[in-house]
Amino acid sequence: MTSADQTPVRVGVFGLLGSGNLGNDGSLEAVLGYLGAEHPDAVVDALCGGPEVVAARYRIPATRLHWYRGEYRTASRGSTIAAKGTGKLVDVFRTAAWVRRHDVVIVPGMGVLEATLPLRPWGFPYSLFLLCASGRLFRTRVALVSVGAAAIGSRPTRALVRWSARLATYRSYRDSLSRDAMRAMGVDTARDEVYPDLAFSLPTSAPAGPVPSPQGPVCVGVMAFHGGDDDRAHAEEIHRRYLEGTTRFVRALVEDGRPVRLLTGDDVDRSVVAAILDAVDSPLVTASEAASLADLMKEMAAAETVVATRYHNLICALKVGTPTLALSYAAKSDALMAQMGLAAYCHPAREVDADRLLEQFRELEQKSAEVRQTLTERNVAATRRLEHQFAALTAALFPTPDHTDTDTDTDTHAHASRETS
């Protein structure tokens, strides 16, 4: 909080925000909610992937993350390669100038320290490194808040991620696996805490009507899944198996007379929805137009059961207390389901066996009442942990005048991180 004679704290939020990924934007919403409640005088803006969307939706000033607008298009011609290379150089100065204008920069959740999906080192890992290095240079406090991390095979990507984490003022992780992964990469995690994903702090609305009855609607969250960063050579085969298995499962639900609602978590998933609708030609199968995690939660609260792939689809279903089965594509999904007491209800997205998936689904529905009670209890615990997260964040990033740090490398911030030499 600022007093009348203090300059408002300048806070930046950073990441692939406003770029079509509902989970990323949900994490931003959670941080903006925290800032509005605990630091209403803070002046907030963003450096992000989709500045137009962020500015319009959240009503904060936003700057494009990359100077080169074709950043995420494959560069094949000499001119585009040169433009992308020039953009990388320009971004050094753009990022530094943006960071210098802030007292605090928050990276809200997201899997910013992992490569469980295809990722090039000169993409977001490079951008994150520029952010954290600039923060250290200009003594701007940079916080990686409830982020995801995982082992990374690519040496350049791993090096950028490791140094980004080392240079940050504050780190917390959304599961123990993430903290363990960073420790294995050589990051000192002794002061780093583990908290639930930020999306668990988002408000939920009660479903319109009674709790769904048996044989009620089923939400199926799909994903344009092609494997991870190390699976590029087999990406199309992985996607084909995923799509075929998921389609067979949806068809089996329809044959049982179950209404199916197809959900996505990113704009790129729409092609999967279209393929399933084309393959399963039935009025029982419809597609959602959810544009936020709040929209997803409303859909899932009205369902009898959810089967989902994307991480934040799972979180939305678990948060509203709907029995959930994960089509798991990474260890983070398994860890999330275990945290919420549903470790038995995971199925590999790489090898979708529709028959086995249907067996797990029916078993889950038989235990629906028990599962709903478990989720209620786990959600209460998650909310309490996130209250601790936000209190720790305030202590680390918004010290009172009597305890203001003169150096982001000191240990006076609660849970702030420092690397040993």
Side-chain angles (χ1 to χ4, degrees):
M1 299 272 184
T2 61
S3 62
D5 59 348
Q6 283 184 285
T7 302
V9 178
R10 299 162 299 174
V11 180
V13 289
F14 177 95
L16 295 178
L17 310 166
S19 301
N21 184 284
L22 302 187
N24 291 359
D25 290 355
S27 298
L28 170 61
E29 288 176 31
V31 165
L32 292 178
Y34 152 71
L35 291 172
E38 300 298 328
H39 306 282
D41 295 327
V43 177
V44 184
D45 72 309
L47 185 63
C48 59
E52 298 86 2
V53 172
V54 168
R57 183 176 297 169
Y58 304 110
R59 300 188 179 186
I60 59 174
T63 303
R64 186 173 299 280
L65 182 59
H66 304 289
W67 174 80
Y68 179 55
R69 289 178 175 265
E71 172 65 27
Y72 296 108
R73 294 195 295 268
T74 301
S76 55
R77 295 185 302 174
S79 59
T80 55
I81 292 173
K84 183 171 283 192
T86 300
K88 296 301 176 187
L89 180 61
V90 173
D91 285 344
V92 172
F93 301 98
R94 292 178 70 252
T95 303
W98 183 80
V99 170
R100 191 175 187 177
R101 297 197 298 268
H102 297 83
D103 303 298
V104 171
V105 174
I106 297 175
V107 180
M110 306 178 286
V112 297
L113 303 177
E114 64 182 50
T116 52
L117 297 177
L119 184 70
R120 298 295 192 189
W122 54 82
F124 188 77
Y126 174 76
S127 299
L128 184 65
F129 172 74
L130 292 183
L131 170 77
C132 295
S134 298
R136 181 59 64 94
L137 178 64
F138 297 115
R139 300 155 83 95
T140 297
R141 295 181 288 276
V142 174
L144 310 181
V145 183
S146 287
V147 298
I152 297 173
S154 165
R155 292 181 66 182
T157 302
R158 186 168 64 247
L160 287 168
V161 164
R162 179 172 61 247
W163 277 106
S164 296
R166 285 176 169 175
L167 292 168
T169 308
Y170 174 98
R171 296 183 298 264
S172 65
Y173 307 99
R174 63 190 180 190
D175 53 50
S176 297
L177 289 176
S178 295
R179 183 170 61 183
D180 293 344
M182 295 313 298
R183 183 184 298 121
M185 285 187 216
V187 176
D188 179 3
T189 61
R191 294 178 177 272
D192 299 354
E193 296 286 344
V194 173
Y195 296 100
D197 189 274
L198 290 170
F200 278 106
S201 71
L202 294 173
T204 57
S205 56
V211 173
S213 60
Q215 300 300 308
V218 179
C219 284
V220 177
V222 300
M223 177 179 179
F225 178 59
H226 293 78
D229 200 43
D230 298 329
D231 297 317
R232 293 176 184 272
H234 310 287
E236 291 308 313
E237 174 61 20
I238 290 171
H239 180 65
R240 182 189 64 78
R241 291 199 301 265
Y242 170 80
L243 181 58
E244 288 180 356
T246 305
T247 301
R248 283 190 59 205
F249 174 69
V250 171
R251 186 178 288 116
L253 292 176
V254 169
E255 289 172 356
D256 284 346
R258 302 295 292 273
V260 176
R261 188 73 161 159
L262 299 177
L263 307 176
T264 63
D266 193 293
D267 290 346
V268 300
D269 302 333
R270 292 175 182 172
S271 62
V272 178
V273 170
I276 294 175
L277 288 173
D278 186 58
V280 186
D281 186 12
S282 168
L284 288 175
V285 185
T286 57
S288 167
E289 296 294 332
S292 67
L293 293 192
D295 291 344
L296 284 177
M297 284 190 272
K298 288 178 183 177
E299 297 264 12
M300 292 171 169
E304 171 65 20
T305 309
V306 173
V307 179
T309 310
R310 280 200 179 270
Y311 185 77
H312 281 92
N313 273 201
L314 293 174
I315 287 178
C316 286
L318 296 168
K319 181 168 171 55
V320 298
T322 302
T324 304
L325 200 162
L327 284 175
S328 176
Y329 69 89
K332 63 183 179 182
S333 299
D334 297 336
L336 172 65
M337 295 294 283
Q339 288 168 11
M340 300 302 286
L342 297 181
Y345 301 104
C346 295
H347 189 95
R350 291 170 175 274
E351 300 286 349
V352 180
D353 180 336
D355 294 331
R356 173 58 185 147
L357 183 59
L358 198 58
E359 290 176 9
Q360 290 178 288
F361 173 81
R362 287 169 175 162
E363 178 185 341
L364 177 63
E365 292 213 314
Q366 288 173 358
K367 299 182 178 179
S368 177
E370 177 185 336
V371 168
R372 287 179 182 274
Q373 179 60 37
T374 297
L375 291 178
T376 297
E377 295 168 359
R378 299 296 174 99
N379 274 304
V380 170
T383 299
R384 288 174 178 165
R385 285 292 293 155
L386 280 170
E387 290 172 355
H388 294 159
Q389 161 76 104
F390 291 135
L393 202 57
T394 290
L397 303 183
F398 302 91
T400 60
D402 292 340
H403 298 88
T404 301
D405 266 343
T406 57
D407 192 328
T408 59
D409 225 5
T410 62
D411 285 332
T412 57
H413 296 314
H415 306 300
S417 56
R418 182 179 68 185
E419 288 302 313
T420 56
S421 57

